[in-house]
Amino acid sequence: MKTGFKRATVPLALLTLTALTAAGCNSGDSGSGSNKVTVWMYPVIMDPKANTAYWDGIEKGFEAAHKDLDLTIEQLPWENRDQKLATAFGSGKGPDVVLLGPDQIPQYQANGAVQPVDRAIEKSRAAFRPAALDAMTQDGKVYAAPIYHTVTSTLYNKKLLDKAGIKEPPATWDALRAAAPRLKQAGVATLDYSASNEASLNMSFYPLLWQAGGRVFDESGKKTAFNSPEGVEALTFLVDLYKGGAVPRSALTNANLFTDQALGKEQVAMGYTNTPSDAALAEQTWGKGNAIVGPALAGPRKQVCFGMPGGLGINARTKNLDGAEKFVGFMTEPAQIASMGKAGGFFSPRTDVTVPHEGPFAKQYEAALAHTFPGEPHPAARQLMALITPEIQAALTGKKTPEQALEAAAKEGDDLLARQR
């Protein structure tokens, strides 16, 4: 039994996953011996102490149930996650099991870095929410076993709304536009946004795109689709708010971290991609009754928010497939699904497990689950984000019009997709 976590170290040079494929998926070394199982986990539980305590308890519980196995859960930061994981997979020193999101699966599956987990969840497969499994499925096989489900929704600061005389929190684009001048007059920005290079577009621009009725990729997956009238409408909506001061200038350096953003600092009235943990922290820091969780933001065509399962994938080069599958099976048992949800404020990916939420916003987030969308999985999803983000920054700062910014991003994106065929 290990005590505490070890921070994993990986080579600095980035090795491509293509090299992994050329080397052969099943002939490498995951760094584990016959009785060892190594897991890469990330700070999914926001409180560092609670996060450490939870995974330490998982180590003890798993090893008590599987006395022949030696489990090590290594805690890594979110920063540069994909680069570090690609490097580890490419060098043959990756973990046996790793936490994955739906948008990572197409890339790692296409390059042979991960293998299906269908056998590990065979006995419990029927219990999972179909949407949770679908999000983790590629070519008919499941590549990550869901252990929790995230949900986001609108979060409002009642004190700031009251200051502007706004009694009904804005839940639509039109209502948000109407509230902006009143909030500005009260010295408050309206909408928080994350435009930095570190921010995921799933938690920033993409929900606006989906609310406008747009898509990131076309149906074939071979062309981008965000450079559409709907995409221009979404970016124009954002740019107009920014130019009018309704989106604070700090948006350019925001990175989806509630405590460091204008919303957390009570400088802006609302956010639209906020988690249950954000709401709990807001209730604690703003004062009881001042945090309001509303429905998913509604655009001109859709009411949609980002939400997805987080799941455990298995390294295709693991030397301990049996141990890796046993850990995946252990973490998808009802007891662990419930404890994971309670510890992290998540919802259950299984229909037969209800996570008891004692917070004041459980009902609101439960309702928002009906409007969640996990994004558009694609092997080039992460690379495309890196091309779109600078163009959104250019539009916000007035260097390009929304049309010019999306046209430039689409050209680069289509070139990227053409090279991958």
Side-chain angles (χ1 to χ4, degrees):
M1 183 71 226
K2 281 68 58 191
T3 57
F5 295 106
K6 298 180 291 184
R7 183 173 296 277
T9 58
V10 295
L12 295 176
L14 178 62
L15 303 178
T16 66
L17 289 172
T18 304
L20 181 152
T21 306
C25 292
N26 299 308
S27 60
D29 181 359
S30 71
S32 294
S34 60
N35 74 323
K36 295 182 181 297
V37 179
T38 300
V39 178
W40 277 14
M41 187 49 61
Y42 301 86
V44 293
I45 301 169
M46 291 190 67
D47 184 322
K49 291 183 179 179
N51 192 57
T52 298
Y54 178 79
W55 293 109
D56 185 59
I58 289 295
E59 282 190 346
K60 292 176 181 176
F62 178 77
E63 290 185 346
H66 302 278
K67 299 185 184 300
D68 58 327
L69 293 174
D70 181 13
L71 175 66
T72 298
I73 301 177
E74 299 181 358
Q75 191 72 11
L76 279 74
W78 291 114
E79 186 179 6
N80 297 322
R81 174 176 55 150
D82 286 304
Q83 179 177 338
K84 292 176 181 177
L85 188 54
T87 300
F89 278 155
S91 66
K93 297 185 182 297
D96 298 294
V97 179
V98 62
L99 181 73
L100 296 174
D103 59 340
Q104 294 174 293
I105 290 172
Q107 176 184 359
Y108 294 136
Q109 182 266 347
N111 289 282
V114 293
Q115 61 183 287
V117 298
D118 297 84
R119 190 167 63 182
I121 63 170
E122 184 177 4
K123 294 181 180 179
S124 59
R125 186 183 186 113
F128 285 97
R129 297 179 188 271
L133 281 187
D134 288 347
M136 300 300 202
T137 298
Q138 193 75 10
D139 296 334
K141 297 179 180 179
V142 181
Y143 281 87
I147 59 172
Y148 62 80
H149 206 295
T150 68
V151 60
T152 63
S153 198
T154 49
L155 176 62
Y156 305 90
N157 187 317
K158 184 177 183 297
K159 285 188 292 185
L160 301 186
L161 293 177
D162 288 346
K163 186 178 179 181
I166 298 173
K167 295 182 180 180
E168 188 71 25
T172 67
W173 285 20
D174 287 342
L176 201 155
R177 288 190 187 101
R182 298 172 65 181
L183 285 161
K184 184 176 182 180
Q185 189 173 7
V188 178
T190 303
L191 186 70
D192 213 0
Y193 184 81
S194 296
S196 76
N197 294 328
E198 290 75 31
S200 168
L201 293 184
N202 284 326
M203 297 283 283
S204 53
F205 179 67
Y206 286 172
L208 300 178
L209 175 66
W210 303 326
Q211 289 160 15
R215 292 176 53 92
V216 180
F217 301 95
D218 71 5
E219 292 289 349
S220 72
K222 298 178 180 179
K223 297 275 290 184
T224 60
F226 57 82
N227 184 26
S228 62
E230 294 82 6
V232 172
E233 184 178 11
L235 187 52
T236 300
F237 169 71
L238 180 65
V239 168
D240 287 347
L241 291 173
Y242 183 84
K243 287 181 177 178
V247 170
R249 297 295 181 262
S250 60
L252 293 174
T253 56
N254 281 352
N256 300 137
L257 296 174
F258 172 76
T259 53
D260 294 336
Q261 294 187 193
L263 182 62
K265 296 177 180 178
E266 298 193 77
Q267 298 167 351
V268 65
M270 67 173 285
Y272 63 100
T273 58
N274 292 97
T275 67
S277 295
D278 292 341
L281 187 56
E283 175 82 355
Q284 177 183 339
T285 57
W286 298 350
K288 187 175 179 59
N290 286 316
I292 300 173
V293 173
L297 185 64
R301 293 168 193 86
K302 288 184 179 181
Q303 181 184 12
V304 60
C305 54
F306 178 67
M308 67 174 190
L312 297 176
I314 297 177
N315 189 343
R317 304 174 82 183
T318 178
K319 278 193 170 182
N320 190 359
L321 178 58
D322 181 65
E325 289 183 336
K326 284 180 177 176
F327 179 72
V328 171
F330 178 80
M331 285 304 300
T332 53
E333 291 174 358
Q336 278 65 253
I337 294 290
S339 67
M340 175 84 260
K342 187 173 182 180
F346 299 116
F347 290 82
S348 172
R350 292 180 57 139
T351 59
D352 61 342
V353 178
T354 299
V355 177
H357 290 283
E358 300 173 355
F361 310 114
K363 290 183 179 179
Q364 290 90 331
Y365 277 110
E366 189 76 42
L369 270 175
H371 301 285
T372 58
F373 183 61
E376 299 176 45
H378 191 283
R382 294 300 180 97
Q383 293 167 280
L384 187 63
M385 285 187 187
L387 300 178
I388 297 174
T389 296
E391 297 298 338
I392 292 177
Q393 294 170 351
L396 290 174
T397 54
K399 295 178 181 177
K400 294 182 180 180
T401 66
E403 294 87 345
Q404 291 170 339
L406 292 181
E407 182 180 356
K411 183 179 184 303
E412 288 188 82
D414 288 337
D415 288 345
L416 170 68
L417 297 182
R419 292 194 301 270
Q420 295 192 343
R421 292 177 199 167

